[in-house]
Amino acid sequence: MTAFHTVNGVLHAEQVACARIAEQHQTPTYVYSLQALNTAFSSFQAGLIGHDHLICFAVKANPSLAILNVFARMGAGFDIVSGGELARVLAAGGDPNKIVFSGVGKSHQEIRAALEAGIFCFNVESINELHRIQAVAESMNAIAPISLRVNPNVDAKTHPYISTGLKNNKFGVAFEDALALYQTAASLSHIAVHGVDCHIGSQITELSPFLDALDKVLGLVDALATHGIHIQHIDVGGGVGITYSDETPPDFAVYTQAILKKLAGRQVKVLFEPGRALVGNAGILLTKVEYLKPGESKNFAIVDAAMNDLMRPALYDAYHHITAIVPADAPSQVYEVVGPVCESGDFLGHDRALSIAEGDYLAIHSAGAYGMSMASNYNTRGRAAEVLVDGDTVHLIRERERISDLFKLERVLP
Ligand code: LLP
């Protein structure tokens, strides 16, 4: 049974009717399933048993302490992109020696904090960053383990905003420059070259871009070996897509097997940085229909969640399945599902056939990744509550933000 399923048309999260959650915790509320998190992680890992590996959950997809803690307990590592994410992982009980630090703008402070924590590896994105890490490490009398994030220039065939492996984006170092940069890195006193890293984009639904990228990376690993630089790990990044509507991403077993096949015969640890694939379909967003508003050309269902809660539709025109959480007698009508925020881009779904009345609850599906993590306080809206369901138990893992929280750091002039 999948974690989110209907019983006689009534949506459940594990054994709990979603209506019970909506009534107890109000809306909008993110609901996650522990079983779905566990299943996603263990099925990703299943294909890797027997090969030296580390699965580093990409914290940005869902940085909830409770969720990080679930993955930490399962032995996960973490891919972080800020000092804030580092602090979260440590607070959630993550092992610092399983952290990789990606991102193009690492500050002195962030590098220092990561070295103090003793992270597994920095994924270095530019020559200037390499020199900065060297300087910070030298000042601390520490050695910084690094990979260079190389840009293999393959087309991930995904939305341009979430494609990162092409030449013309800000990530990584150009493939042609990588050898020379590795030679520089190897010559630096407080840098230890450990790996090669690449990440080509997100929500990738085909296998071939991953394999094309890995082929290029392996070519680089071999070239480095001939120059006396021996790589201990290859980080293949994240990016495995999920099904939002009718996409058919490779399943984990196919994906990991294809990667391992290319690594056959090599004594190299393999790192993965999945985000969306581990949490995307482990969460939904519950929302209430505030108003039904017939329009001249469209009918609007105005709900209490908005683009500030789930930004993906507004930002990427992303599709999220939307369903009523209990069957209703109301006639089915086609609605624009929109939030209360004052922007025409504030929609959650276009042209959705729904049988709903005011006061009904809806579920916005596949909202576990890049949902709460990209939420904002736009229009001075407090961010949603988050709950994690385990069997028949609902744990509140983040309280709904209070309005007073939203301006408590602000000051008016004396
Ligand atoms: N590693 C690095 C270096 C990344 O930049 C990312 C995502 C990941 C791993 C995890 O990728 P995933 O497995 O989740 O595809 N906000 C967008 C997605 C942005 C992805 C950014 N980087 C969305 O809502 O679709």
Side-chain angles (χ1 to χ4, degrees):
M1 191 193 297
T2 56
F4 296 100
H5 61 279
T6 52
V7 181
N8 298 327
V10 175
L11 184 67
H12 283 65
E14 302 196 14
Q15 292 159 35
V16 183
C18 289
R20 189 182 117 200
I21 301 173
E23 271 145 30
Q24 191 181 346
H25 294 282
Q26 282 76 55
T27 50
T29 291
Y30 277 95
V31 181
Y32 307 107
S33 154
L34 180 61
Q35 181 201 316
L37 296 170
N38 286 336
T39 305
F41 188 84
S42 49
S43 55
F44 198 100
Q45 193 165 43
L48 299 168
I49 309 284
H51 192 104
D52 189 13
H53 71 274
L54 183 60
I55 301 169
C56 295
F57 172 62
V59 174
K60 64 172 84 67
N62 194 320
S64 156
L65 286 193
I67 290 179
L68 300 182
N69 175 258
V70 166
F71 288 138
R73 289 187 204 204
M74 296 189 82
F78 297 93
D79 168 51
I80 61 165
V81 291
S82 69
E85 289 189 349
L86 173 64
R88 271 186 180 276
V89 169
L90 299 178
D95 180 349
N97 191 34
K98 292 182 177 173
I99 294 175
V100 294
F101 191 174
S102 305
V104 295
K106 299 175 192 81
S107 70
H108 287 95
Q109 274 170 323
E110 288 174 323
I111 293 167
R112 173 175 286 273
L115 284 169
E116 275 165 3
I119 67 164
F120 183 73
C121 197
F122 289 88
N123 289 336
V124 176
E125 307 228 14
S126 67
I127 178 74
N128 291 358
E129 181 192 329
L130 182 65
H131 287 300
R132 183 179 286 187
I133 294 174
Q134 154 74 12
V136 176
E138 187 169 13
S139 74
M140 295 170 68
N141 204 13
I143 300 288
I146 67 111
S147 290
L148 288 184
R149 175 169 174 183
V150 298
N151 202 332
N153 199 29
V154 303
D155 184 357
K157 302 187 187 116
T158 183
H159 190 288
Y161 283 17
I162 52 176
S163 178
T164 52
L166 283 168
K167 256 187 182 163
N168 58 1
N169 67 52
K170 69 178 177 183
F171 299 101
V173 301
F175 198 79
E176 304 71 51
D177 302 340
L179 181 55
L181 288 177
Y182 267 104
Q183 287 175 310
T184 303
S187 73
L188 295 174
S189 56
H190 290 72
I191 296 286
V193 173
H194 281 202
V196 178
D197 168 49
C198 92
H199 170 80
I200 55 174
S202 195
Q203 185 51 18
I204 300 170
T205 53
E206 290 174 37
L207 204 49
S208 56
F210 292 111
L211 301 181
D212 293 348
L214 183 54
D215 279 335
K216 291 192 105 173
V217 165
L218 291 175
L220 174 63
V221 168
D222 293 339
L224 289 171
T226 65
H227 288 81
I229 299 174
H230 298 285
I231 294 302
Q232 298 159 30
H233 76 250
I234 295 176
D235 182 338
V236 298
V240 176
I242 63 167
T243 303
Y244 286 98
S245 134
D246 54 5
E247 305 88 336
T248 52
D251 69 39
F252 295 162
V254 171
Y255 167 74
T256 51
Q257 205 171 41
I259 301 271
L260 290 187
K261 199 169 156 205
K262 289 217 175 275
L263 299 179
R266 292 174 184 267
Q267 294 302 315
V268 71
K269 186 181 185 99
V270 59
L271 270 59
F272 298 84
E273 300 173 357
R276 187 187 322 261
L278 297 186
V279 291
N281 275 322
I284 62 172
L285 174 59
L286 290 181
T287 183
K288 186 169 78 180
V289 178
E290 291 284 1
Y291 296 100
L292 293 178
K293 181 175 178 182
E296 251 178 39
S297 57
K298 289 189 184 276
N299 295 316
F300 293 96
I302 302 170
V303 301
D304 66 358
M307 65 188 288
N308 74 295
D309 298 299
L310 180 65
M311 201 184 184
R312 304 191 69 258
L315 191 58
Y316 315 116
D317 206 13
Y319 176 91
H320 286 259
H321 200 46
I322 301 178
T323 60
I325 67 170
V326 292
D329 304 331
S332 173
Q333 288 210 46
V334 174
Y335 293 100
E336 286 288 295
V337 180
V338 301
V341 161
C342 300
E343 301 255 357
S344 297
D346 178 28
F347 72 93
L348 296 163
H350 294 306
D351 296 331
R352 302 304 175 86
L354 293 163
S355 302
I356 46 173
E358 291 182 0
D360 285 356
Y361 295 111
L362 302 179
I364 303 171
H365 294 258
S366 311
Y370 306 107
M372 187 63 174
S373 67
M374 290 169 68
S376 78
N377 295 120
Y378 189 37
N379 281 207
T380 306
R381 290 167 50 85
R383 279 175 292 174
E386 291 178 295
V387 301
L388 178 53
V389 176
D390 175 11
D392 60 3
T393 309
V394 179
H395 299 276
L396 179 65
I397 58 169
R398 191 181 204 272
E399 289 175 38
R400 182 176 310 288
E401 260 171 353
R402 282 174 292 265
I403 303 295
S404 56
D405 291 340
L406 303 186
F407 48 82
K408 71 167 184 246
L409 302 178
E410 298 180 36
R411 302 283 182 276
V412 296
L413 298 186

